[in-house]
Amino acid sequence: MTEYKVKSSNSLVFELTKDEASIGTLTYTSWFRFSAEFEILHSKYQIEPKGFWGTTIELKEGERILLKFRMNWNGEIVIQTYFNEIKSGYIFKHRGIFKESFVLADQNGIELLVMKPDLKWHTMHYEYQITTSDTFDTFFEKEILLMTSLHCANYYMSMMTAGM
C-alpha cells in the first residue's frame, strides 16, 4: 500500500505528492470546463471533453488517445484505457455520504485505490488522501491512473454540485 496526497493552491491547480515529493500537477483551463492538462515527470497530457454534449472525456498524449471515460446512468465513471495497445476497463465510483470516498476498481470489482476528499473550509478547496493497493503499485501507468482518478473525483464533485 502506498499513500499519496493531493493539495490544491486554488480551484484550478492540484498537486499530487508522495512523501512530500511531487509526482504531478493537474491544471484546469477554467472552472467552467472539464478541459485540463497534467504533467508527470516532464510528460504532458491533455484532458478534453468530446462529442456534442462533452459527456465523453479523452486523455491524450499529443495526438495519441491513452484513455476515455464517461459517467454512466448510476453515477459511476467508466474508464477505458489503451496503454500499449492493450484495452482495459475500470470503474471509478463514489462511496458513502458522511465518510465519503471514491474508489477505483478493476473489471472484477477489486479495489485498486481509495481517495478521501477533504474540503478545506478556510480556502474552499478540496484536498485528497489516496491509498493504493499492492496490485495498483505494480501498474506501469499508475501515475496516469492516479491523475485521471483525481480528475474523475473533481468531475464527479462538479457534476453533483451542478445537479443541486
Side-chain angles (χ1 to χ4, degrees):
M1 290 183 152
T2 305
E3 298 282 329
Y4 297 89
K5 289 185 180 179
V6 176
K7 292 188 178 181
S8 175
S9 57
N10 59 48
S11 59
L12 300 176
V13 179
F14 295 82
E15 182 181 19
L16 174 69
T17 62
K18 176 184 163 200
D19 300 326
E20 303 296 322
S22 181
I23 303 291
T25 304
L26 172 65
T27 306
Y28 292 91
T29 56
S30 154
W31 57 277
F32 295 113
R33 304 189 48 157
F34 295 120
S35 298
E37 85 170 21
F38 64 81
E39 186 172 345
I40 303 170
L41 305 172
H42 309 294
S43 294
K44 290 191 179 196
Y45 305 87
Q46 301 78 39
I47 300 172
E48 304 170 352
K50 292 294 176 187
F52 181 73
W53 298 106
T55 55
T56 297
I57 312 268
E58 291 180 343
L59 172 72
K60 293 180 170 183
E61 182 178 29
E63 292 301 312
R64 191 172 62 135
I65 297 171
L66 298 178
L67 64 82
K68 294 180 183 182
F69 65 86
R70 63 177 169 69
M71 190 173 283
N72 66 13
W73 61 272
N74 63 354
E76 297 175 338
I77 297 174
V78 178
I79 302 171
Q80 214 52 78
T81 64
Y82 307 98
F83 300 137
N84 300 318
E85 308 300 323
I86 299 169
K87 187 176 176 182
S88 297
Y90 302 93
I91 296 289
F92 186 86
K93 58 187 174 183
H94 181 257
R95 177 168 74 181
I97 294 177
F98 298 109
K99 288 190 172 240
E100 73 176 335
S101 61
F102 296 98
V103 175
L104 179 69
D106 67 12
Q107 293 173 335
N108 298 319
I110 297 170
E111 291 184 5
L112 300 172
L113 69 80
V114 175
M115 178 181 286
K116 294 181 181 179
D118 180 23
L119 177 62
K120 299 299 181 189
W121 287 100
H122 63 285
T123 60
M124 294 306 288
H125 300 143
Y126 275 100
E127 294 185 357
Y128 298 92
Q129 180 74 33
I130 304 171
T131 304
T132 60
S133 70
D134 292 336
T135 301
F136 183 84
D137 292 340
T138 65
F139 287 9
F140 181 70
E141 306 288 350
K142 67 183 172 193
E143 290 85 3
I144 294 173
L145 284 171
L146 280 165
M147 297 301 282
T148 300
S149 295
L150 172 58
H151 183 72
C152 286
N154 291 335
Y155 178 73
Y156 185 90
M157 296 287 216
S158 65
M159 294 299 279
M160 293 305 108
T161 55
M164 292 182 173

